[in-house]
Amino acid sequence: MKRPFITSLFLILALTSMAQASKNYITPDWKHIEQLCTSRPDSIRLLVERVATPTPEQPPTMAECVLAYCGQSYISLGKENANEQKMNKALQNKETAKAIQLADKVLAVNPLNLSALLVKAQLCRDGWPFATDTPVPKNTGYGALLVFQRLLEAIAATGDGSHAHPFVVTSVPDEYHLLREYLGIQRVKGQALVGHCDILTLGGVSERYDKSTIHFDITREMELLTLLFKGK
């Protein structure tokens, strides 16, 4: 009985220390999350497992989803990137079966990888939009779709896309997943890096986003790139 209580206690401490930029946004406390992932990695893994479960017995709160999304980046450290790139190449080459296999490998390392979840979620649709080399049964990706949507909502809860409250992401592809799959904007006209923010100039608006630019906080993304260049 003690271990679940201790795990819950550490998660509560992490969640309460996540600074609220305003009452509407959940801004990650990166230093505290890193400390938690270092001292109590099992706590993050358990939370990630729950967030990655399509219909968990105890649905995660929005703050828990944000913590899991951010914390997972300290667990996987971008080790899924190589297979993610291979997966994207397979999609471009219309190698459906190979892409699905690689998506599974990516999710084995990072269960919250949005790109891999999207590949699996495509199975919900009538047929496969990327290729026709492999017949795909309907609805087999419904669980991945639920997790994918849950994570997009978590990212959306971190800000409003403004300079003052940028959306927090842990990878470049996640910027475009939020933009296209959640906000409904397909075109990007330009991109600029200013400090820790990636600023995209948009080629359109939608019902969910009507500004000409969108800001993403890429603090963690830049840290992972630094680790990658150092070979860690």
Side-chain angles (χ1 to χ4, degrees), residues 172-185:
V172 171
D174 291 357
E175 298 178 25
Y176 290 88
H177 291 315
L178 184 77
L179 190 64
R180 293 167 178 166
E181 305 296 334
Y182 187 82
L183 298 177
I185 298 175

Side-chain angles (χ1 to χ4, degrees), residues 16-83:
T16 55
S17 68
M18 295 176 74
Q20 294 288 331
S22 77
K23 64 179 181 181
N24 296 320
Y25 309 125
I26 304 172
T27 304
D29 182 338
W30 291 110
K31 183 177 180 180
H32 192 93
I33 293 175
E34 181 179 14
Q35 291 174 346
L36 176 60
C37 292
T38 301
S39 62
R40 302 287 300 184
D42 287 347
S43 297
I44 292 294
R45 290 192 178 96
L46 286 172
L47 181 59
V48 167
E49 182 180 352
R50 184 150 62 90
V51 171
T53 300
T55 54
E57 292 185 6
Q58 182 182 356
T61 64
M62 190 62 70
E64 287 177 317
C65 289
V66 173
L67 175 59
Y69 172 73
C70 296
Q72 175 60 41
S73 69
Y74 290 96
I75 302 298
S76 56
L77 295 173
K79 294 177 181 177
E80 72 276 17
N81 289 349
N83 279 326

